[in-house]
Amino acid sequence: MKLHGLRQAIALSLSAGMVLAVPAVVPQFVPQAVLSQAEAAKVGVAWDFKKDLDGWKYGGKWAYKGKPEIEHSSEFGGTVRLGVDFSQVADSSWSEVKLEYGAAAAKPLNLAGTNVIAYDFYFQPKNMTGGQFKTKVYAKDASDVEVMNAAPDIDLSKAKDVGKGWKVVHVAVQVPEVQAPLSYLVVSVVGSNTDYKGDLFVGHLRVSHEAVADGYVDVTTRVQPQAKLNASALPLPSVAPLVDKDATQRTAQTYAMLKGIAATQNVVYGHQNEMNRKVSTLPGRSDTYDIVQDYAGIVGVDGLALTGDELELTDAERAAGETYASKLARLVLPAVQDGAVLTMSCHMPNFAEVAERPKLNGAYDYTGYSPNHTGGNVVSRILPGGDLHDVYTGYLDLVADFLGRMQAADVPVIFRPFHENNGSWFWWGAAYCTPSEYKNLFRSTVEYLRDEKGLHKLLYAYSPNGPIKDAADYAARYPGDAFIDITGFDLYHRDPQKDDMWMKGFDATMDVVDQFADAHGKLAAVTEAGILVGNTGGALAKTGNQRTDWFNEALKTIAPHKMAYFLTWANFNEDNFDQPYLVTAKRGHEMVNKFIDFYNAPSSIFAKQMPELASITTNIVPAMSTYGYLTAPGATARVLAPTTITARVAGEEKTAQFVLKKKDGTMFATIPATRKGDALIGEITADALAAAGQTVGTIALELDGETADSVMVFYNMPAPAADPARVDDFESYYGDGGLLKAAYSTNCGAGCTVEPLLTDAHQGGETGLDFHYTIGKGGYAGIIKNLDGVDWSAYDAVQFWVTPDGKGQKLICQLNANGEDFEVDLTDVAKTTAPQLVTLPFSSFKGKNGGTFDKSAVQHFAIYCNTIGDATVDSHLYFDDIRAAKK
C-alpha cells in the first residue's frame, strides 16, 4: 500500500531507523592495523583517518548522477572527504554514495560480538535548502550471506556547531550482533530529497559492542506438523473462466485450486519478497521458513527486483552471465516446488523520467524508485500511440523475460500491475489519469503480455486500495471481466490499538469484494494487508506492538469470506518488516510465538499444505468470448467538432454500434461501427453534434445489443479558460456531481468514508464543495485533486473559503511536490463554525520527509480529516474557490 505514497516499495528509503546518542561509556578503541583477530573481537575497531583512508575506499553509488569525490582529508583531525552533488537528484528519496572497507575482501574482518557502527558526520547547512540524509550499513560474511542491512535517518537536529559554518552529528547504528568475519562492509551516505552540493566529512568511524535491550523473546511455542489439503475434498469448479483462453492447464488448475480453497474456511498465507529479502541472518532465504520450516503459500515478487532495487548480483554472478531475471527465477523455485503460488506486482518507474535519462548500452535505464513521482502525465503517454509507449513496452519486456522463465518452468504467476489505483500516491493513481485511461492501460498491458509476448501462464489481478464502500466504488476503474481473473484489494491497519474497529471495516470491505466477485464470476483475495506503525510508511514495530495476535485476528476475520489468500508485505530489514522473524534459532521478534500459533491454526495454509495440482481437473473457458472497449474519445473529453470514435474488439460480434446519449439518458444518435482488423470505427457527424446540444453525455460501444464500454464526455462544451492559480471553483461541473467525483480521488482509513458533493453552500458563483466525511477512532478521510505539476512560482500561498463544522477533528491541508507531501494543520479552524477565508503561506507547509516545498511543480492539492477522540463523526465541511494566491 503505501499510504500517501511511499511505504515499503523500496525498503531502505522508508526505514524509520535509529540514530543513537553517544554512549555514556565509550569502549576502548584500537586502530585496526595493530589488532589481532582475537583482540578485535574483544574491544571493537576504530579508524581515525589521521594519515590515510585506513583501508576504506569509494564503494560505488546508487541513483546518483556523476561520480562523487572520495579522498583522505586532515580536516577535523582526520576524516574521509566526500565531494557530493545531490542537487541533480533532489527529487529522489534515495541517492546513495558508498564507502567500502576494501581490505575485508582480501582478509575477512573479525568484528565478532559487536553490534553498533558509529561515526561523526560533518556537513554545511548552507549547502542545502531541504531534505535530509540517511546512512546505510550493509555487510556480508565470508559465505556471501547478508548479515547487516540497516538504514536509519541521520538526525540533523542533533548537530552541534564546530566552527566556520560546519556542524557535526554523531551517528550510531545498531545492527545484529556480528557472529562471523565480514568479507564485505559498506557504510553509505544517502541523500533523501536533498539538494546538498559540496563537501561532507566522515570521521572517527568505529565498531563496538553496547549492552542494549534487544526486545526479542524466546521461542516457546512448538510448530505442529500440518497436513496437506486434499484437492478432492475441495469444492473445485468444473470450469475456469480465464482472461487467457489459451492458458495452460496448470494455470487453470491453479485458478481452480484457489477457487476451491476460497469456498472453504481455509485461507492461504502470502508474503511479499519471501525468497529474496529477509531480516534474519540465519541460513536460508526465508524468514517464514526460519520460524515454521515452511514457506508462505503465496510468494510475492516485484518488478523492482528486475532493476536491482530489491535484488543484488554479485560480481561472480555477473561474470557467470546471471541476470536479475534469472536469479529471481532461481530463488523462487524452491518455494514453488513445495507448493507455493507466485504473485508479481510492479512498482513501475515514472516513464517520463526514464525517457529523459541517458540510455545504457542502447537501452532505457529503469533503475531507481520513482512510482511515487506523479508528474509527467504518464498514463496517457504510455498508452498505445503515446510518445512514451516504447519506453513502457521496453519495461514490459523486462517483466516478460522473468515471466517467460516461469512459463518455461511450468510455473503460473498471478500478475498484479497498477495496484492501489484509486489512491494518489502512484503515477497511475486516480488523481493522475481518467477512468478510461486507467482501464485502457490495464487492458493494453494484458493484450501485450498475452498476445504479443505469448505468455499463457498468467492470472490477472485487480487490486484497488480499501476500504471499499460499495460495488460502484469498486468498479469505478475496473478494466472489465475480459481482463481480470482475480478481484482483490489492499488494506493496511494503521497504528493498531487494542480496542480499535479496524477489523470491522476490513470485514465490511470483504463483504463488498465477495459480492462483486460472485456477480462477475471471479476469484477473490486480499492482495495486501498488514500493520503500519508510525508516520514513516513503515510496517510492524520492533517492540511494543499493540495487537500481537494480529495474524490470527486477520485469519479469523478473513476465513468466513470467499477470499483465497491474504498477503503481507516484505521483510527488508529490522527497520522495515511486515512479518515476525528470528534472530537466533531460539529467539525472535515479540510476535513470533503468536505467528507460530497462526501457522498451527487449521485454517491457515502454507506452501507444504497446498493441494497437489495434478489431481485437479477443470476446463478452460474464456472469461468473455467477445469484448470491446473504447480508445477514443476518452472519458471527460470535449467533443466540439465532428469526431472519429475508435474501439478495440476481440471475438466475433454479430452487430456493433456506438450509442450517444445526453445527460438525462436521452439517446440522440446511433452510429454504425465499421470493423477494420481489431478496430471498430465510427464518425460523430455535425448533425449528431447539433442534435446533442450543449450537454454532458456518454458514448457507449454496443456489441450484439449489450453495452461493452462507455465513457462520459462533454458535447459542445468548451473548456473554461485556463487559470494556473485555480485549484477549483466548482463552477465547471455544470451541476453534475459525477463529474466532480471524477475529478477527485479519495483516501480513507478502515471504516471511514468521504464523498465530494456539489452544494449550494458557496462563497462565489453558484456552487461549492460539500466535504462529507465519516471517521471513527484512529481513522482518516481525504480527497485529492491532481494539479499535474502546475507552476505556482508567481504565488506564495494557497487560499480558500471554508465553513467548518465545529467538530474539532484534525483538519489537514496538503500539497504535493516532487513526490513529497507538505501539510498544514487546521484543527483550530475546524473547531469553529463561521465561514472564513483561509490563506496559508507556502512557508507554513511542512514536508513529511523534511524537504523544501517546490512551488514550481505542484502535483496535487488535498484535504484530510483525521479523528481526534474515540467517537464516530459523520459531518460536513464546505469549501469554495480554492486557488494559489499572493499574500
Side-chain angles (χ1 to χ4, degrees):
M1 163 195 181
K2 319 352 155 177
L3 189 61
H4 297 257
L6 298 180
R7 187 143 158 356
Q8 311 104 304
I10 181 168
L12 298 177
S13 67
L14 300 175
S15 300
M18 180 184 300
V19 178
L20 306 176
V22 180
V25 179
V26 179
Q28 176 187 1
F29 289 99
V30 181
Q32 166 68 10
V34 302
L35 281 177
S36 69
Q37 291 280 313
E39 289 170 331
K42 291 179 181 179
V43 299
V45 178
W47 296 270
D48 58 20
F49 306 118
K50 289 189 180 298
K51 295 181 180 180
D52 53 32
L53 292 179
D54 279 346
W56 291 82
K57 66 176 185 177
Y58 171 58
K61 62 182 181 177
W62 181 260
Y64 178 93
K65 291 185 178 180
K67 184 176 181 180
E69 300 171 5
I70 308 292
E71 65 180 11
H72 173 259
S73 173
S74 60
E75 291 287 340
F76 308 111
T79 51
V80 180
R81 183 183 78 86
L82 292 77
V84 299
D85 181 2
F86 290 109
S87 64
Q88 300 181 69
V89 287
D91 61 345
S92 175
S93 62
W94 188 270
S95 180
E96 181 178 357
V97 175
K98 304 177 183 180
L99 285 177
E100 179 184 347
Y101 187 65
K107 183 179 181 181
L109 177 64
N110 187 2
L111 298 176
T114 59
N115 64 352
V116 172
I117 295 181
Y119 62 88
D120 295 328
F121 180 71
Y122 298 86
F123 67 101
Q124 275 272 4
K126 69 178 183 180
N127 289 347
M128 60 193 296
T129 63
Q132 62 185 25
F133 292 103
K134 301 173 181 285
T135 189
K136 176 182 173 183
V137 175
Y138 185 85
K140 293 183 178 181
D141 65 16
S143 300
D144 202 39
V145 174
E146 177 186 297
V147 294
M148 292 184 198
N149 190 346
D153 295 339
I154 296 177
D155 190 351
L156 301 184
S157 69
K158 295 182 179 179
K160 297 180 180 179
D161 293 324
V162 290
K164 298 182 180 180
W166 287 94
K167 288 192 172 187
V168 63
V169 60
H170 178 75
V171 179
V173 183
Q174 184 180 335
V175 296
E177 188 167 297
V178 178
Q179 306 292 327
L182 306 181
S183 61
Y184 182 69
L185 174 63
V186 166
V187 175
S188 299
V189 174
V190 180
S192 182
N193 298 110
T194 184
D195 58 355
Y196 192 99
K197 183 178 181 180
D199 288 342
L200 299 168
F201 294 92
V202 170
H204 197 200
L205 179 58
R206 56 271 202 198
V207 184
S208 65
H209 175 82
E210 281 190 38
V212 293
D214 61 15
Y216 303 126
V217 300
D218 292 334
V219 177
T220 57
T221 304
R222 187 172 182 174
V223 176
Q224 300 171 2
Q226 300 296 305
K228 182 181 286 291
L229 285 178
N230 185 345
S232 63
L234 296 174
L236 298 171
S238 59
V239 297
L242 301 182
V243 167
D244 187 353
K245 63 181 177 58
D246 297 318
T248 66
Q249 184 61 28
R250 193 167 184 85
T251 306
Q253 289 169 329
T254 300
Y255 178 92
M257 178 263 292
L258 291 173
K259 189 80 168 174
I261 290 174
T264 70
Q265 293 287 302
N266 297 309
V267 182
V268 183
Y269 172 65
H271 189 213
Q272 181 70 15
N273 287 358
E274 169 83 347
M275 306 301 288
N276 60 302
R277 280 288 185 265
K278 64 180 297 196
V279 176
S280 172
T281 58
L282 294 173
R285 300 300 317 178
S286 161
D287 280 327
T288 311
Y289 201 96
D290 286 349
I291 300 171
V292 297
Q293 294 78 61
D294 200 352
Y295 296 113
I298 302 288
V299 168
V301 298
D302 194 273
L304 288 169
L306 304 179
T307 58
D309 271 355
E310 293 183 353
L311 194 64
E312 296 80 29
L313 289 174
T314 66
D315 291 341
E317 288 167 341
R318 292 182 188 277
E322 189 148 44
T323 64
Y324 291 122
S326 65
K327 181 173 181 177
L328 186 62
R330 172 170 58 83
L331 292 179
V332 300
L333 281 177
V336 173
Q337 290 164 354
D338 272 4
V341 173
L342 195 63
T343 182
M344 184 178 194
S345 55
C346 283
H347 285 83
M348 300 182 188
N350 182 305
F351 295 110
E353 295 181 6
V354 170
E356 295 175 358
R357 300 173 188 164
K359 289 187 175 182
L360 300 176
N361 300 319
Y364 288 110
D365 177 7
Y366 298 107
T367 60
Y369 183 83
S370 57
N372 60 314
H373 297 183
T374 53
N377 200 21
V378 177
V379 172
S380 66
R381 297 173 65 191
I382 65 175
L383 285 167
D387 66 304
L388 298 178
H389 183 61
D390 67 324
V391 186
Y392 177 54
T393 55
Y395 176 84
L396 287 183
D397 291 344
L398 289 179
V399 173
D401 180 15
F402 170 72
L403 294 175
R405 293 171 189 273
M406 294 293 94
Q407 180 160 289
D410 199 23
V411 177
V413 180
I414 298 169
F415 186 59
R416 188 175 69 98
F418 313 119
H419 64 299
E420 299 170 10
N421 57 286
N422 53 341
S424 62
W425 41 91
F426 299 133
W427 53 256
W428 56 85
Y432 311 111
C433 59
T434 67
S436 64
E437 287 173 338
Y438 175 84
K439 293 175 186 178
N440 285 356
L441 176 59
F442 202 111
R443 293 159 173 164
S444 64
T445 299
V446 171
E447 291 172 335
Y448 185 82
L449 295 175
R450 181 190 64 193
D451 305 335
E452 295 192 39
K453 303 302 291 187
L455 295 171
H456 299 296
K457 280 190 172 295
L458 301 184
L459 299 171
Y460 295 92
Y462 173 69
S463 58
N465 198 58
I468 308 296
K469 182 180 178 181
D470 51 31
D473 184 19
Y474 189 80
R477 291 174 178 249
Y478 179 65
D481 290 345
F483 299 92
I484 300 299
D485 296 302
I486 299 174
T487 51
F489 69 96
D490 298 359
L491 187 59
Y492 283 84
H493 195 167
R494 166 72 70 178
D495 292 325
Q497 300 299 312
K498 292 180 179 179
D499 58 348
D500 69 32
M501 301 300 291
W502 186 86
M503 289 291 172
K504 183 177 180 180
F506 187 39
D507 183 76
T509 290
M510 284 188 284
D511 278 339
V512 174
V513 178
D514 267 344
Q515 293 166 14
F516 187 93
D518 279 347
H520 292 259
K522 303 299 177 184
L523 172 66
V526 182
T527 42
E528 285 184 45
I531 289 175
L532 291 179
V533 175
N535 295 318
T536 60
L540 283 172
K542 188 173 180 181
T543 60
N545 287 280
Q546 297 297 300
R547 302 278 277 269
T548 56
D549 204 23
W550 187 91
F551 285 85
N552 279 303
E553 288 188 71
L555 178 63
K556 292 175 183 177
T557 307
I558 298 169
H561 294 275
K562 294 180 181 179
M563 300 285 143
Y565 64 87
F566 80 102
L567 178 140
T568 60
W569 206 244
N571 278 19
F572 292 108
N573 52 56
E574 283 198 291
D575 298 319
N576 191 348
F577 60 95
D578 285 65
Q579 178 192 285
Y581 56 91
L582 295 181
V583 290
T584 71
K586 296 182 179 181
R587 281 177 68 75
H589 181 262
E590 65 178 11
M591 293 169 62
V592 68
N593 288 302
K594 296 293 188 182
F595 186 81
I596 296 173
D597 285 338
F598 165 66
Y599 177 79
N600 291 339
S603 57
S604 67
I605 306 301
F606 285 64
K608 293 178 181 178
Q609 300 162 251
M610 300 286 268
E612 295 290 345
L613 291 178
S615 64
I616 297 175
T617 301
T618 190
N619 296 314
I620 299 171
V621 297
M624 293 188 70
S625 56
T626 300
Y627 68 81
Y629 61 91
L630 293 158
T631 54
T636 69
R638 295 184 182 274
V639 183
L640 309 176
T643 300
T644 300
I645 307 173
T646 60
R648 280 185 62 84
V649 66
E652 298 181 359
E653 77 287 354
K654 295 178 182 178
T655 63
Q657 65 178 358
F658 301 107
V659 178
L660 281 54
K661 294 182 179 181
K662 299 181 181 182
K663 178 181 177 180
D664 62 5
T666 302
M667 181 179 67
F668 62 87
T670 56
I671 298 172
T674 302
R675 184 157 182 169
K676 295 183 178 180
D678 292 333
L680 292 172
I681 300 172
E683 300 292 336
I684 300 178
T685 65
D687 289 343
L689 269 181
Q694 192 176 69
T695 184
V696 176
T698 59
I699 299 174
L701 168 64
E702 286 189 358
L703 300 176
D704 298 332
E706 300 290 333
T707 299
D709 194 21
S710 178
V711 297
M712 180 173 58
V713 297
F714 299 95
Y715 291 111
N716 300 310
M717 299 173 70
D723 180 359
R726 182 176 59 226
V727 175
D728 212 330
D729 60 8
F730 306 100
E731 303 302 320
S732 59
Y733 302 108
Y734 309 97
D736 190 319
L739 293 179
L740 174 72
K741 291 178 180 178
Y744 286 81
S745 60
T746 61
N747 182 19
C748 301
C752 303
T753 62
V754 66
E755 190 173 17
L757 303 168
L758 292 173
T759 177
D760 292 336
H762 58 86
Q763 296 298 321
E766 297 180 355
T767 52
L769 169 69
D770 176 355
F771 179 93
H772 179 201
Y773 69 98
T774 303
I775 54 178
K777 183 178 180 180
Y780 60 90
I783 62 172
I784 305 99
K785 176 74 180 289
N786 177 28
L787 300 182
D788 200 23
V790 66
D791 186 352
W792 278 355
S793 298
Y795 308 96
D796 52 23
V798 65
Q799 186 179 82
F800 50 83
W801 280 94
V802 59
T803 303
D805 58 2
K807 301 296 184 181
Q809 301 302 291
K810 186 175 183 180
L811 179 62
I812 297 292
C813 179
Q814 180 188 94
L815 297 174
N816 179 283
N818 294 327
E820 182 174 358
D821 293 331
F822 297 81
E823 296 183 342
V824 173
D825 189 333
L826 299 175
T827 304
D828 287 342
V829 173
K831 295 176 182 178
T832 66
T833 57
Q836 54 193 282
L837 181 65
V838 174
T839 302
L840 304 174
F842 294 148
S843 60
S844 65
F845 285 81
K846 304 301 180 185
K848 288 188 174 181
N849 299 328
T852 300
F853 179 65
D854 180 4
K855 62 182 182 180
S856 70
V858 184
Q859 297 300 334
H860 75 234
F861 170 91
I863 299 165
Y864 279 91
C865 204
N866 296 27
T867 310
I868 293 179
D870 296 343
T872 296
V873 178
D874 184 340
S875 189
H876 301 257
L877 298 162
Y878 300 96
F879 296 85
D880 201 3
D881 198 18
I882 306 170
R883 60 187 301 107
K886 294 181 179 180
K887 291 188 291 183

